[in-house]
Amino acid sequence: MGVPGQVRPPGPEIETIGPNTVSSSIATTLQRPDVALLGATPAFEHTLHVGRPNMPDRQAFLTRINQVLDSGRLSNWGPFVQEFEDRVAEISGAKHCIATCNATIGLELAISGLGMSGDVIVPSFTFIATVHALWLQGVRPVFCDIDPVTHCLDIDCVEAAITSRTTGILGVHLWGNSCANQRLHDLAKKYELKLLFDAAHSFGCETGPNHPSHLGDAAVYSFHATKCIHSFEGGAIVTNDRELADRLRLMVNFGFAGEDIVAHLGINGKMNEASAAMGLTSLEAMDQFFDHNRANYATYAAALADVPGVTLMPRETNHKHNFQYIVTEVDPTKAGLTRDELISALRLENVYARRYFYPGCHRMQPYAGLNPRAGYTLPVTEAVAERVMVLPTGMAMSGHEIKRLCACIASIVRQAPAVRAAIHECKDPRLPPFPAWEARTRVNH
Ligand SMILES: Cc1ncc(COP(=O)(O)O)c(C=O)c1O
């Protein structure tokens, strides 16, 4: 086991890793134990996390904060929130933007503002907030399977799930992949369904000129600290529907239409000025953040290309994209170990890779009992939830660290049988509390 606090000395850079592509000096390096779980020191001294915040220019942010403090206007549509709304509308190509305190409240407001009720079709493979927002608004989520490549809604399943109780579709632009396609728009039109998108992951992502609108009736962004562009906490609803926008402006502020006129049901969902100050400063660094993430993605793609059983999600690189998520899938029959075993081995290297959105919302409370057959009707969701491993990126990750991390993954995979055996013996408290290994996917190596 590696000694905490000690780090392996930097070895030779490993550009490509695979059984036939390893240079002899590197091959020699890989003969000795170079996996923390097998006795080496951890590859990283500091823990690498998924979703470390991108920090924009500190001075620019502090200047704005001083302006907020000097003005005494801390919330209630101050000038920074108004400017932030204008910028978000402009970047997303929407006519209207309503900034919110976070995306979850934004989703609830949009669901209510659109008049969704009864059943709404939604993927199970999403962050739980998508589904909670429906449930908290008294709407029953009807879980739908996903496309195995994009991880977004499978349109055939959407069509099959529509009934007389269905009032809308809540699609998710997962990982920044657009869930909006022509068939989905046509279906919504044909059955007179509201079309809402959870765009928490996709701020700044563009699609081709002939691509149908990624806004639907409305879309909701997240500006949480873990997102590429953030405002500490924050969200925004964007729409081209003037009437809906007016309604949402009432609803986000308790329904107030004047000093003492309450014209609509509402809550306090407003963004504050400090968040908008961070949001605006973060937007100023948007190109820098996107370029850095794009370069990180390219480094991962090159370094993982020859690692058997660890596949990086392909990206269309022609369009602007935030590259905020490094999504891999682990195939245990090729990697020789399961995704959970690989994540466990990486923990001891001080790498906190994450499984997302395991085990799927349909297996979480309060939805697990809703449709006992959901496990059978969501085969792609179930398979993907077992395989997805998200790796760290963002401004906090350098190309050198990514190469080193990928070299770790390659070493772990190369020594899969020994790693598997060691995991099952290991009592290190840093190992994630994953369920009984024996019940997991069997591996043929
Ligand atoms: C797909 C998805 N929807 C909704 C949310 C909720 O966003 P927020 O934290 O801004 O409420 C998240 C958060 O990460 C998310 O990933």
Side-chain angles (χ1 to χ4, degrees), residues 35-174:
V35 171
L37 195 69
L38 301 179
T41 48
F44 296 95
E45 188 172 4
H46 304 292
T47 45
L48 305 184
H49 287 278
V50 173
R52 272 188 294 181
N54 289 335
M55 296 303 180
D57 187 284
R58 184 178 294 225
Q59 201 46 55
F61 169 64
L62 291 176
T63 302
R64 285 195 167 97
I65 286 295
N66 279 328
Q67 283 175 257
V68 171
L69 296 177
D70 289 345
S71 74
R73 183 101 186 252
L74 308 187
S75 191
N76 292 8
W77 269 305
F80 285 143
V81 167
Q82 291 181 33
E83 192 183 339
F84 186 67
E85 288 184 341
D86 290 348
R87 288 287 291 131
V88 169
E90 187 190 333
I91 291 166
S92 56
K95 289 190 182 138
H96 312 282
C97 170
I98 296 98
T100 57
C101 53
N102 58 51
T104 309
I105 292 292
L107 282 166
E108 279 200 65
L109 286 165
I111 289 160
S112 173
L114 283 167
M116 285 176 157
S117 61
D119 289 356
V120 164
I121 295 168
V122 65
S124 167
F125 194 69
T126 179
F127 184 56
I128 193 68
T130 320
V131 184
H132 279 344
L134 287 171
W135 193 254
L136 285 164
Q137 286 301 316
V139 177
R140 193 174 78 118
V142 173
F143 293 118
C144 195
D145 216 357
I146 51 167
D147 178 276
V149 177
T150 64
H151 299 176
C152 293
L153 278 176
D154 176 328
I155 311 303
D156 286 332
C157 297
V158 173
E159 182 152 27
I162 296 171
T163 69
S164 58
R165 281 178 52 84
T166 313
T167 63
I169 301 166
L170 172 44
V172 182
H173 297 318
L174 207 76

Side-chain angles (χ1 to χ4, degrees), residues 413-440:
V413 167
R414 188 173 288 110
Q415 297 172 72
V419 169
R420 294 195 86 201
I423 287 174
H424 296 263
E425 296 297 315
C426 182
K427 301 275 184 285
D428 191 300
R430 286 171 298 167
L431 282 192
F434 289 159
W437 299 105
E438 292 68 29
R440 320 288 302 167

Side-chain angles (χ1 to χ4, degrees), residues 29 58 77 129 147 216 266 299 303 326 363 386 391 410:
T29 309
R58 184 178 294 225
W77 269 305
D147 178 276
T299 307
I326 298 294
R363 291 191 178 276
E386 285 287 339
L391 297 169

Side-chain angles (χ1 to χ4, degrees), residues 102-105 107 126-127 129-130 172 174 198 200-201 221-224 226-227 233-235 325 357:
N102 58 51
T104 309
I105 292 292
L107 282 166
T126 179
F127 184 56
T130 320
V172 182
L174 207 76
D198 177 340
H201 294 184
Y221 296 119
S222 171
F223 298 107
H224 182 257
T226 52
K227 301 295 182 281
E233 290 266 5
Y325 292 92
F357 295 96

